[in-house]
Amino acid sequence: MSAPDDAGRIRLVRAIFPDLAGELDAALARHGNAQGSAGGDAFDAWLDDEVERVIGESLGAVGFADVDDEVQRARFERAFEAARRAAAWAGVELPQPEAFALAGANLARLGAALAADDTLVPVPAPYGLGTAGWRRAFERAADESSAFGTQGDASPLVLASEAEREFSLLDQAPAAVHFVRERSGAVRGWTLRLVPAAPAPAVVGLSFEHGPHLTLPEMLMLQLMRAAEGEPLVDARTFTWLAHPLADGVLAARHVYDESERAIRISCRETGNQGPHLGARPPIA
């Protein structure tokens, strides 16, 4: 299912809210002569804002109603509550579940996948925070969670020089995954996927070629969410490969939680590197 375009969003609202459709038509009649001009752009922006506002107000209580299993709905709700706190540490606002559904995420299918695997966690992840934004998030988390610590001015998020230099690659959203776009604010948008959250990666002993891999923002959000819930962080004794190779495909980033320093470390190794403590957490969309 592809994400609805502007016309599709308006058709959706017309179908669900016929009374609103009359208001939209009246607004279009008032502003229609401005189409094709700067005024038309402003009207388009206003119209999109109104669509999102009305959907949010009218469907705000729907949440995860598409998820049939009550237990899995509770898992979604718990994950989103943790993600809201993690997003607050990052200084951003988590979109409502309906925004992900409108973007094309199939919550019913994700709920079925949750039911089949107790280790999976729904992880909404923001893209565009940059290194400074993520460091601030972990510094704020350290103020409220014993999972992270700081030594002097050092952040609990430590990046290898290669990861820092090419962070924009690691900050890319995964391809062909439904994306909730942000028109303003600190991030470009959000994805929602299920991430294996067992203490060790789901698949170990294989090189980077054996993916798929979760993105760095998904990995960081998972750890912040676990900290928000007071849960043990993952990768205390293992490494997880992260999506998007660096250095023209020679290197790939990997994640580990340094329990002694209470820090998240992102290091880089050649993509052919493998070992019993290095592996993948294949996400599900």
Side-chain angles (χ1 to χ4, degrees):
M1 178 180 177
S2 60
D5 56 15
D6 288 342
R9 289 161 63 83
I10 293 172
R11 285 195 299 272
L12 175 62
V13 172
R14 284 184 179 278
I16 301 176
F17 309 112
D19 292 340
L20 175 64
E23 295 181 24
L24 294 177
D25 289 336
L28 182 60
R30 290 195 301 272
H31 297 275
N33 59 354
Q35 294 301 308
S37 65
D41 292 339
F43 173 73
D44 288 343
W46 171 86
L47 184 62
D48 204 35
D49 286 341
E50 285 298 291
V51 167
E52 291 193 359
R53 179 185 65 78
V54 172
I55 288 176
E57 291 176 355
S58 302
L59 299 183
V62 173
F64 301 104
D66 287 345
V67 180
D68 293 333
D69 189 315
E70 183 177 350
V71 173
Q72 311 319 320
R73 282 200 303 275
R75 288 172 68 183
F76 263 113
E77 290 163 359
R78 179 181 177 186
F80 266 63
E81 184 58 36
R84 286 187 190 94
R85 186 171 176 189
W89 285 333
V92 295
E93 186 174 349
L94 176 68
Q96 294 297 320
E98 294 78 23
F100 291 98
L102 282 171
N106 189 325
L107 299 182
R109 186 177 67 233
L110 293 178
L114 275 183
D117 188 343
D118 288 341
T119 72
L120 292 174
V121 173
V123 176
Y127 296 83
L129 275 176
T131 55
W134 281 112
R135 283 198 172 106
R136 282 194 301 271
F138 278 88
E139 288 161 10
R140 290 167 181 164
D143 292 336
E144 301 182 33
S145 169
S146 61
F148 305 113
T150 55
Q151 283 72 44
D153 295 331
S155 169
L157 175 60
V158 182
L159 301 172
S161 58
E162 301 93 341
E164 183 133 22
R165 184 168 54 248
E166 298 191 85
F167 191 86
S168 60
L169 294 179
L170 298 175
D171 199 20
Q172 293 181 97
V177 173
H178 304 300
F179 195 66
V180 177
R181 298 190 181 278
E182 298 278 10
R183 292 188 302 281
S184 62
V187 298
R188 297 187 303 273
W190 297 73
T191 59
L192 174 62
R193 295 200 289 183
L194 306 182
V195 173
V203 181
V204 294
L206 299 175
S207 70
F208 178 80
E209 300 303 321
H210 298 272
H213 303 291
L214 75 167
T215 64
L216 176 59
E218 287 173 318
M219 187 78 247
L220 298 182
M221 275 296 287
L222 173 64
Q223 295 289 55
L224 287 174
M225 289 166 61
R226 293 185 72 81
E229 290 191 297
E231 295 285 343
L233 302 194
V234 303
D235 278 343
R237 294 174 179 79
T238 54
F239 296 85
T240 294
W241 285 118
L242 301 173
H244 308 305
L246 308 174
D248 295 324
V250 175
L251 300 177
R254 61 180 193 169
H255 162 278
V256 67
Y257 173 56
D258 185 336
E259 204 167 14
S260 63
E261 298 289 339
R262 292 184 296 158
I264 298 293
R265 298 187 182 276
I266 307 299
S267 58
C268 296
R269 291 293 184 272
E270 292 186 356
T271 56
N273 190 259
Q274 60 188 64
H277 304 296
L278 174 61
R281 298 178 184 270
I284 297 173

